[in-house]
């Protein structure tokens, strides 16, 4: 059925204006003030903002890690995402040495296709760069529309790749039109510091942070930037947590290196002291990179405002406190790394960013949706409100206040890291390709309704070419 959203204030990355939106066959067919209501379902958005659906470029759903598996799968995780105003996620497809890339991709398709309630795509991990990978990569990029490659510089003996693999991935990505993503921490140094801490009897959760110092993140970020410059390639640094890493990205961009930076809500509002909570409660806040000293928060906010960091991911990677996080009692290195963030990503950025005047309303849309769509080959079908775009729309009440609570959230995990935090603004209704997933704060979607998205190559569109030459 034709739908018309009326009386709302439309907000994109560049404009804010009053208009009605007509939705037909899953896409936006008209935007204006005198649309024909004949035969249409009318959706009243009075008093609300109308945003393009959020795009979360960093999730880990149904992912094996640390002897267990993340608690949220593609059903519970995408339901929670939708409640939070996200209509597209890009999850990380993990690979193994000696196995084909396609087999890993098939595994991730099987995890998602009957469960996702919103649209999704995959990044592809690279653990080795040999002749087999070089032969297969162009094929899977073409067939699967996967145009972003992830390399870990940390998690030694598990995910970490060496510098040769990273450099060869950068060179290959330049040739194939892919964006290389890095988890930038010096895994060798961290491995030494972890072993030293445990030998000295330091086993509590706070030592997770103390053995992953900000210098290790800054060094790896700078090294990855230099290798990107040497390869003439392009780089996206995930989950930037500290001043040291943000500064390396800013300096590289000033040199003209094609580098982009993502941070996450947890680094903007939580700090290292949370890992010191008694009774092992600090384990709830163990993820990598770790939370930093509080002063880093304003550095990250300023980097978002100035454009030195460009996106907000959740790094959703949820584990129950009871039965999963407690695997690390007596040894912080065995605490599964990750937290439940996907549902609160958009609301926290609005409340702490827009309401507190740290970023503009249009910057908020760019950070939560538009820039990720452009970087990862989804724009203009995703990431904006425009004629011809998918009708991925969030009707958002900007004035309502609520308290974040694990008892009220929709993630499958048994705690919320933002417990007790007061936020202003929340999604009321969420549409994916013109169909309600959330209606009046109730789930009305369907498992398996989410579509897999094939994405355009990096740098082959006018949008990306413009972005390369305009360094904000």
């Amino acid at each position: 059925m034709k739908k018309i959203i009326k009386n709302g204030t439309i907000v994109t990355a560049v404009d804010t204006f009053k208009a009605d939106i007509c939705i037909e066959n899953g896409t936006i067919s008209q935007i204006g003030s005198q649309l024909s209501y004949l035969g249409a379902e009318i959706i009243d958005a009075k008093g609300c903002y109308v945003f393009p659906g959020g795009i979360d470029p960093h999730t880990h759903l149904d992912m094996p890690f640390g002897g267990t598996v993340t608690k949220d799968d593609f059903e519970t995780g995408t339901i929670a995402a939708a409640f939070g105003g996200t209509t597209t996620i890009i999850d990380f497809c993990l690979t193994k040495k000696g196995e084909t890339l396609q087999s890993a991709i098939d595994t991730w398709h099987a995890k998602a296709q009957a469960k996702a309630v919103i649209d999704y795509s995959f990044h592809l991990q690279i653990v080795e760069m040999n002749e087999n990978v070089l032969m297969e990569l162009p094929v899977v990029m073409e067939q699967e529309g996967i145009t972003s490659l992830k390399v870990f510089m940390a998690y030694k003996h598990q995910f970490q790749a060496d510098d040769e693999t990273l450099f060869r991935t950068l060179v290959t990505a330049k040739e194939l039109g892919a964006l290389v993503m890095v988890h930038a921490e010096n895994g060798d140094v961290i491995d030494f510091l972890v072993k030293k801490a445990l030998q000295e009897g330091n086993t509590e959760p706070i030592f997770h942070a103390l053995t992953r110092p900000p210098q290790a993140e800054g060094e790896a970020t700078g090294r990855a930037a230099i290798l990107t410059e040497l390869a003439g390639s392009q780089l996206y640094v995930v989950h930037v947590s500290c001043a040291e890493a943000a500064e390396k990205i800013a300096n590289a961009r000033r040199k003209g290196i094609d580098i982009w930076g993502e941070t996450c809500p947890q680094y903007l509002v939580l700090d290292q002291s949370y890992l010191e909570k008694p009774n092992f409660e600090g384990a709830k806040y163990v993820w990598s990179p770790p939370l930093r000293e509080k002063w880093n928060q304003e550095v990250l906010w300023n980097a978002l405002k100035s454009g030195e960091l460009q996106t907000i991911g959740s790094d959703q990677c949820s584990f129950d406190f009871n039965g999963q996080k407690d695997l690390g009692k007596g040894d912080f290195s065995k605490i599964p790394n990750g937290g439940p963030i996907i549902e609160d990503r958009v609301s926290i950025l609005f409340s702490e960013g827009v309401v507190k005047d740290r970023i503009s309303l249009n910057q908020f849309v760019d950070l939560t949706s538009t820039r990720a769509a452009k970087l990862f080959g989804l724009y203009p079908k995703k990431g904006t409100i425009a004629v011809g775009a998918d009708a991925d729309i969030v009707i958002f009440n900007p004035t309502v206040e609520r308290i974040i609570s694990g008892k009220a959230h929709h993630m499958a995990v048994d705690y919320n890291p933002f417990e007790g935090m007061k936020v202003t603004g929340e999604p009321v209704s969420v549409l994916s390709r013109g169909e309600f997933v959330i209606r009046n704060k109730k789930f009305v979607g369907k498992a398996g309704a989410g579509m897999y998205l094939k994405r355009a190559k990096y740098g082959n569109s006018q949008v990306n070419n413009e972005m390369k030459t305009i360094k904000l």
Side-chain angles (χ1 to χ4, degrees), residues 166-464:
L166 173 57
F167 185 69
R168 292 185 71 183
T169 301
L170 286 161
V171 171
T172 304
K174 175 67 174 178
E175 296 170 353
L176 298 179
L179 180 59
V180 177
M181 312 171 76
V182 288
H183 175 137
E185 290 184 286
N186 189 315
D188 292 325
V189 169
I190 290 167
D191 185 61
F192 172 82
L193 293 175
V194 168
K195 289 176 180 175
K196 183 173 184 291
L198 293 174
Q199 287 170 359
E200 293 172 352
N202 298 317
T203 63
E204 295 302 308
I206 185 59
F207 287 95
H208 173 78
L210 298 179
T211 57
R212 304 182 86 101
Q215 295 91 333
E217 184 181 348
E219 184 279 330
T221 303
R223 179 161 35 105
I226 290 169
L227 293 176
T228 301
E229 180 182 29
L230 186 60
S233 192
Q234 48 274 343
L235 185 72
Y236 179 99
V237 183
V238 301
H239 50 43
V240 173
S241 74
C242 61
E244 285 85 347
E247 181 181 7
K248 293 291 187 182
I249 292 169
N251 289 340
R253 287 174 67 81
R254 282 191 282 271
K255 288 179 64 178
I257 299 172
D258 195 356
I259 183 172
W260 309 90
E262 162 200 287
T263 191
C264 308
Q266 52 271 40
Y267 302 118
L268 297 170
V269 299
L270 305 177
D271 64 77
Q272 183 174 297
S273 67
Y274 283 76
L275 282 89
E276 298 179 284
K277 285 179 175 285
N279 302 318
F280 200 64
E281 290 279 326
K284 294 178 178 178
Y285 304 91
V286 167
W287 43 68
S288 299
L291 293 173
R292 304 300 187 184
E293 293 181 356
K294 190 175 180 64
W295 63 267
N296 286 277
Q297 293 174 5
E298 283 308 305
V299 174
L300 297 177
W301 279 113
N302 290 336
L304 291 173
K305 186 176 183 66
S306 68
E308 291 174 348
L309 294 175
Q310 300 82 27
T311 63
I312 296 288
S314 68
D315 194 10
Q316 164 75 15
C317 190
S318 61
F319 299 98
D320 274 339
F321 178 59
N322 296 298
Q324 291 186 299
K325 288 284 189 180
D326 55 13
L327 292 171
K329 279 189 174 179
D331 183 347
F332 70 87
S333 70
K334 294 180 180 177
I335 301 170
N337 282 213
I341 314 291
I342 199 168
E343 187 166 350
D344 300 306
R345 180 184 73 106
V346 172
S347 288
I348 287 176
L349 195 70
F350 182 85
S351 185
E352 293 293 311
V354 177
V355 175
K356 294 188 176 180
D357 201 30
R358 289 176 166 130
I359 57 173
S360 72
L361 189 59
N362 303 108
Q363 282 182 308
F364 161 82
V365 172
D366 197 38
L367 288 163
T368 57
S369 181
T370 309
R371 189 62 63 101
K374 291 177 176 179
L375 285 172
F376 294 108
L378 294 169
Y379 189 85
K381 289 294 287 182
K382 306 287 188 184
T384 192
I385 293 177
V387 173
D390 283 353
D392 294 351
I393 293 173
V394 177
I395 299 172
F396 189 92
N397 184 332
T399 60
V400 67
E401 295 182 345
R402 66 184 178 94
I403 303 296
I404 295 176
S405 170
K407 294 180 180 179
H409 73 203
H410 302 88
M411 294 173 284
V413 70
D414 65 2
Y415 78 100
N416 191 301
F418 308 110
E419 186 73 36
M421 181 178 175
K422 184 178 180 179
V423 291
T424 301
E426 71 172 341
V428 176
S429 296
V430 177
L431 296 91
S432 173
R433 284 177 283 104
E435 299 298 326
F436 282 103
V437 183
I438 307 297
R439 186 162 195 168
N440 297 322
K441 296 193 284 189
K442 294 183 179 180
F443 176 66
V444 294
K446 180 182 177 182
M451 287 180 58
Y452 175 73
L453 304 173
K454 294 184 177 182
R455 298 180 282 118
K457 291 182 179 180
Y458 181 86
N460 71 346
S461 69
Q462 182 181 355
V463 170
N464 278 340

